[in-house]
Structure formats: C-alpha cells, structure tokens
Amino acid sequence: MPDIRQQRIVLVGAGNLATNLGHALMQSGHTVAQVYSRTEESATALADRLHCAATTAIDGIFADADLYIVSIKDSALAEIAVTLTAVNPDALWVHTAGSMPMDTLPCRRRGVFYPMQTFSKQTIVEFRNIPIFLESSDADDMPLLRVLAENTSDSVYELDSDTRKHLHLAAVFCCNFANHCCTIAADVLSDKKIPFEVMLPLIDRTVEKLHTLTPLEAQTGPAVRYDTNVIDRHLHLLDARPDLQRIYEMMSKSIHVYEGREKREE
Amino acid sequence: MPDIRQQRIVLVGAGNLATNLGHALMQSGHTVAQVYSRTEESATALADRLHCAATTAIDGIFADADLYIVSIKDSALAEIAVTLTAVNPDALWVHTAGSMPMDTLPCRRRGVFYPMQTFSKQTIVEFRNIPIFLESSDADDMPLLRVLAENTSDSVYELDSDTRKHLHLAAVFCCNFANHCCTIAADVLSDKKIPFEVMLPLIDRTVEKLHTLTPLEAQTGPAVRYDTNVIDRHLHLLDARPDLQRIYEMMSKSIHVYEGREKREE
C-alpha cells in the first residue's frame, strides 16, 4: 500500500464539513494539495487555513491527485459528479455525504468517507471521537481509506450505502429534530421574556442520561402515562399556535405508543 | 425571619424529584422530619436515605411541621390537596410541579418550589446548577423559600404561575420531545443492528452548540433548505412506518418555516 501521507489530496468543497475535515487531515500530517469551491471567498479562506492552492473552476482542479474528497451539498453533488470525476477518471474519488449512495460518483474507483457530526466553520471540532463510516467500490482502496480515517478518528466503521442511509436518517432525528425541539422551546420562552439559557442544565442532563440509559428508559414527562390533565393544559397554552399544537400532540402520542410497546415486551 | 435550618420539613412524596430534593436539602444542612408516600417501599427507601420518619397514611403525617413540600404526580396532587393541607392548615405548603398553578393547594400560605430538571431515583444529581422557580401567596413566606432554594442551588428565580406554565411547556419540548427524537433514532438504528452509541458524539455536540448559539442558529440538516432529494429518500426509508413519516414530515416543515421567518427578519 502506498504511504497515505505521501498521497496528493484534493478537497472539493469548502463548507462546514470540508473545513473541519481539512483541519483534521492537516493536523494528522496529511497534505491537502488544493481546495476547490465555486465561491472565491470560501475557496481562499480554507486554502489559506490549509496552506494550499485554491481554485473556483472545475477545469482548474489538479488532474494528478491521488485522492479527491468531495464535500459539497447533496444536491450539487448529483449535478456535477460527471464533470467532476472526468478531471481524473483513474483516481480514487470519495464523497462525505451520509445520505448519498456511493454510486453517485460515476467513476471506477469510488468510495464514501462520512464523518458523522454537525459541523460549523466557526468552530473546529476535535475529530478523534467522531465516528467515520467508510465504503469503497474497489476492495483494494479500503486499506487506504481506513488508514486515512484512523489517522484522524478513533472510531472507524465500514458500512454499505443502504445501511448508511438509515444511519443518516437516525442522525436527522437525534440532531436536527432534537435541536428543533429546542428552537420551539426558545420561541415559547421568548413570548414570556424568559432567557433560553435557563433550559441548559435540563438539556445537558437529558443528554447525559443517554450515556447510561437507552432513550426509551430515559423518557420522562406527561406523555409517558399520557397525563391528559397536563397535556390538555399545554395544548391550551398553544391555542394561538396550531402548528406547535400539532407537533406537541403527535410527539406525545408517539411517546405513549413507544411506552406501551415497551411494557408489552417486558 | 426564623432560621430555615431549624424548620421542620415534611416531604410529601418519594418519587424521582422528592428523592433528589430530599438529598439536596439534607446535604445543605436542612432536616427533613418525615417522608410520606402511599407505597410503603418508597416511603421507607427515602426515609432511610434521609434518616427520618416515614408514613403511608395521610393522617399519619406530622401535624406540627413548619413547611410541607408536596412532590407527587400532578394528577394525584389535585385529588388529595384538600385532605392533605387539612393536616396543618396554618403551615406553609409548597408543591414542586412545574405545570400546576400555585392555587392547586387550597390553604392560606401556599407556594411553589419548582426545580427544573429531569430526575431519576437511581442517580442523585448535583442541585447547585439546577434552576429553581419560586412563588408564594404570602409575601412574608418568600424570604424563607428563597433561603431554602439558595442553600441548594445557585440559580433561583421568582416566577408567577402563568409564566411557569410556559416554562414547563418549553421544558417538555427541550427534554421530553428531544429525548423522544433519540428514541426514534434508536429504533431506526436497531432495524439495521447499529448500536445507538455511535450517535453519542453527534448528540453531545448538538447540545454543546446550544451553549454558544441559539437553537435556530445551530440548526442544520436537509430541512433547513428543504432539500427534497434527501427528504423524499428519508420518507421512503420509512415507508413501513407511517407514524414516523408523519413526525419526519411535520418536523421538517416546521424547521423550514422557522428558517424562512428568520431570513425575513434579517
């Protein structure tokens, strides 16, 4: 196997994930040769951080790299995949999208390098404990991807596209939807001029419990026993917000259904 | 004001909150004289921990205490409030229920002592950073409640019943509903034999972000731009689970509506 630290890597994309991944690669001794982004500002910003070249044109992407890591919006990925991989059809191309099948990349040697985390450009997170899920079309490319992943993270898994789709769906519930529950809470609080910060100890503890209990075991609240006294009063408080009433009712019913299922299985 | 540490306190209830509160009171030098619970086992278990008397009969509750802290299920509270407060109608009675108005207690000197946290008997949590929300019918009783609260916690607020109702509603979204999102994720993962633990770094980071960003600023995922490619594929994965499809769709639409509102306000 070629020494992965000698490989020329091109990062296609300069968004939240690309920025964090670029940092993690640099910190683990890898060399990113070039960053591509449609927008000059993003390309330059990340290239400056990684001390490498930048380009905003697909035909400006280095054609002699060994590995291309494509980290762009899912919708853009499908659109430009053909043009992109034509830059160097014999190289290994991987994308970082949890929800996209590996076959989105129309080249021979393709793969997936999916670090499951919520990223922002402003905060560079520690990659060590971020699970990375790998897939490759050519078994010969897996050792290289594995070494690259293990150089940046302690939890590396191989996962096929179908299973990864479910993983990504689960992540949307855990991260995106759970966060939205907090957005709604902040909205309810702001009507009464209560700062959202008072919720943080409760939120921290809610998550802390998940390190020792299953989410089903950790569940509390009026919906567990479907306490209609409390539920009806809460729904009444939301009379001016039918959108939030529907979410409240649907989540409460779902909690109750899961509790009932659990009891029957005991 | 009488020295609060000399006051005789009776704890009515021996559930998750009562157990944690009892501990916190004991640790801060207060004396719980007696624990009441309908069930012998719960009453004795908590009384043993607090080195105090136990009773399972309402007419066995000490009639000479100074302060009664009622921490029982919301539905039970409304039912037995009259019988309960008749034990000592001149004393100060407070309940610990976030969602119940102070007036649920039908006595002259009544109040609320609401520590906003998700508790379990198994884990005794540190009370210091738990916000406690106070209310009292008689202004003369507030200093006593305040000292009691400040002895156990660093964040103590006075809040009327109406505002507290909204606070409790917000807590249901942040804690109960966010946790349920994780239950659904665990369910999706178990179908594919993926352990829920792989989600923990993502969940931890999602919450960590809320310490520096508003939940709306922290929002990520396909629903932000309503990426129908990803959303439709996720809905398709849930074809066998129409209940989860409805939750997925409703949460995604709500995220998108909040994002749109934000953009218009910028």
Side-chain angles (χ1 to χ4, degrees):
Chain A
M1 194 174 72
D3 181 355
I4 177 74
R5 286 203 173 77
Q6 301 298 321
Q7 307 272 298
R8 277 167 70 82
I9 301 174
V10 168
L11 212 47
V12 178
N16 298 336
L17 195 159
T19 300
N20 276 270
L21 178 57
H23 261 265
L25 291 174
M26 192 173 66
Q27 282 203 325
S28 56
H30 297 283
T31 307
V32 175
Q34 187 188 36
V35 170
Y36 159 88
S37 168
R38 265 189 320 182
T39 53
E40 178 82 44
E41 198 188 333
S42 304
T44 313
L46 183 53
D48 283 355
R49 284 178 170 209
L50 304 179
H51 315 299
C52 72
T55 181
T56 59
I58 291 183
D59 60 13
I61 295 175
F62 292 162
D64 62 347
D66 303 292
L67 172 63
Y68 297 81
I69 302 179
V70 186
S71 181
I72 58 183
K73 267 196 298 180
D74 295 4
S75 47
L77 176 57
E79 268 171 44
I80 67 166
V82 172
T83 328
L84 205 53
T85 52
V87 165
N88 185 352
D90 295 326
L92 173 58
W93 290 79
V94 300
H95 73 67
T96 61
S99 75
M100 303 291 275
M102 178 172 67
D103 295 350
T104 312
L105 294 166
C107 49
R108 194 176 54 79
R109 293 170 57 210
R110 55 182 180 256
V112 176
F113 188 101
Y114 170 45
M116 189 175 65
Q117 187 52 285
T118 171
F119 296 105
S120 63
K121 286 187 195 179
Q122 292 74 32
T123 315
I124 300 300
V125 293
E126 172 56 63
F127 241 73
R128 272 282 138 227
N129 72 342
I130 297 176
I132 299 180
F133 298 91
L134 302 176
E135 187 179 10
S136 74
S137 60
D138 189 332
D140 290 347
D141 287 324
M142 185 49 85
L144 190 139
L145 289 182
R146 185 169 269 282
V147 171
L148 189 73
E150 287 174 350
N151 282 344
T152 59
S153 165
D154 291 333
S155 37
V156 176
Y157 306 84
E158 287 182 42
L159 209 66
D160 62 65
S161 290
D162 176 64
T163 311
R164 193 179 55 252
K165 273 192 278 183
H166 287 83
L167 181 77
H168 186 254
L169 172 62
V172 165
F173 275 95
C174 276
C175 168
N176 304 156
F177 293 171
N179 184 77
H180 186 57
C181 292
C182 295
T183 299
I184 295 173
D187 199 8
V188 168
L189 292 173
S190 78
D191 283 347
K192 292 284 161 181
K193 313 259 182 277
I194 306 171
F196 178 71
E197 286 66 39
V198 299
M199 287 291 149
L200 290 174
L202 176 63
I203 296 172
D204 288 345
R205 177 67 193 141
T206 301
V207 165
E208 199 181 290
K209 282 165 78 177
L210 295 178
H211 286 258
T212 52
L213 301 172
T214 69
L216 196 56
E217 289 166 345
Q219 189 66 57
T220 54
V224 172
R225 286 182 190 79
Y226 216 80
D227 183 342
T228 45
N229 275 319
V230 180
I231 291 172
D232 288 349
R233 265 182 285 128
H234 280 166
L235 288 173
H236 179 59
L237 291 179
L238 294 170
D239 273 343
R241 294 295 302 273
D243 56 330
L244 301 187
Q245 275 181 333
R246 276 193 300 273
I247 291 177
Y248 185 101
E249 217 169 351
M250 184 159 288
M251 293 300 276
S252 293
K253 282 182 182 160
S254 183
I255 288 172
H256 193 59
V257 166
Y258 270 90
E259 287 292 326
R261 193 179 304 163
E262 171 77 344
K263 292 286 170 302
R264 282 194 301 278
E265 284 169 4
E266 266 168 12
Chain B
M1 194 174 73
D3 180 354
I4 177 73
R5 286 203 173 78
Q6 301 299 321
Q7 306 273 298
R8 278 165 70 82
I9 301 175
V10 167
L11 211 47
V12 178
N16 298 336
L17 196 158
T19 301
N20 276 271
L21 178 57
H23 261 265
L25 291 174
M26 192 172 68
Q27 282 203 326
S28 56
H30 297 282
T31 306
V32 174
Q34 188 188 37
V35 170
Y36 160 87
S37 168
R38 264 189 322 183
T39 53
E40 176 83 43
E41 199 188 331
S42 304
T44 314
L46 183 53
D48 284 354
R49 285 178 169 209
L50 304 180
H51 315 298
C52 72
T55 181
T56 58
I58 291 184
D59 60 13
I61 295 176
F62 292 161
D64 61 348
D66 303 291
L67 171 65
Y68 296 82
I69 303 179
V70 186
S71 180
I72 58 182
K73 266 197 298 178
D74 294 4
S75 47
L77 176 57
E79 267 171 45
I80 67 166
V82 173
T83 329
L84 205 55
T85 51
V87 166
N88 185 352
D90 295 327
L92 173 58
W93 289 80
V94 300
H95 72 68
T96 61
S99 75
M100 303 291 275
M102 178 171 66
D103 295 350
T104 312
L105 294 167
C107 49
R108 193 175 54 80
R109 293 170 57 209
R110 55 183 180 256
V112 175
F113 188 100
Y114 170 46
M116 189 175 65
Q117 186 52 284
T118 170
F119 296 105
S120 63
K121 285 187 196 180
Q122 293 73 34
T123 315
I124 301 300
V125 293
E126 172 56 64
F127 242 73
R128 272 283 138 227
N129 73 343
I130 297 177
I132 299 180
F133 299 90
L134 303 176
E135 186 178 10
S136 74
S137 60
D138 188 333
D140 290 347
D141 287 324
M142 185 50 85
L144 189 137
L145 289 181
R146 184 170 269 282
V147 171
L148 189 72
E150 287 173 350
N151 282 345
T152 58
S153 166
D154 291 332
S155 38
V156 177
Y157 306 85
E158 287 182 43
L159 209 66
D160 63 64
S161 290
D162 176 63
T163 311
R164 194 179 55 251
K165 272 193 279 183
H166 288 83
L167 181 78
H168 186 254
L169 173 62
V172 165
F173 275 96
C174 275
C175 168
N176 304 156
F177 293 172
N179 184 76
H180 186 57
C181 292
C182 295
T183 299
I184 295 173
D187 199 8
V188 168
L189 291 173
S190 79
D191 283 346
K192 293 283 163 184
K193 313 259 183 278
I194 306 171
F196 178 72
E197 286 67 37
V198 298
M199 288 290 149
L200 290 175
L202 176 62
I203 296 172
D204 288 345
R205 177 66 194 142
T206 301
V207 165
E208 199 181 289
K209 284 165 78 177
L210 295 178
H211 286 257
T212 52
L213 300 173
T214 69
L216 196 57
E217 289 166 345
Q219 188 66 55
T220 55
V224 171
R225 286 183 187 78
Y226 215 80
D227 183 342
T228 45
N229 276 319
V230 180
I231 290 172
D232 289 349
R233 265 182 286 128
H234 280 166
L235 288 173
H236 179 59
L237 290 180
L238 294 170
D239 273 343
R241 294 295 303 271
D243 56 331
L244 301 187
Q245 275 180 333
R246 277 193 300 273
I247 291 177
Y248 185 100
E249 218 169 350
M250 185 160 285
M251 293 299 276
S252 294
K253 282 181 181 160
S254 183
I255 289 172
H256 193 58
V257 166
Y258 270 89
E259 286 292 326
R261 193 180 302 163
E262 171 77 344
K263 292 286 169 304
R264 282 194 301 278
E265 284 169 4
E266 266 168 14

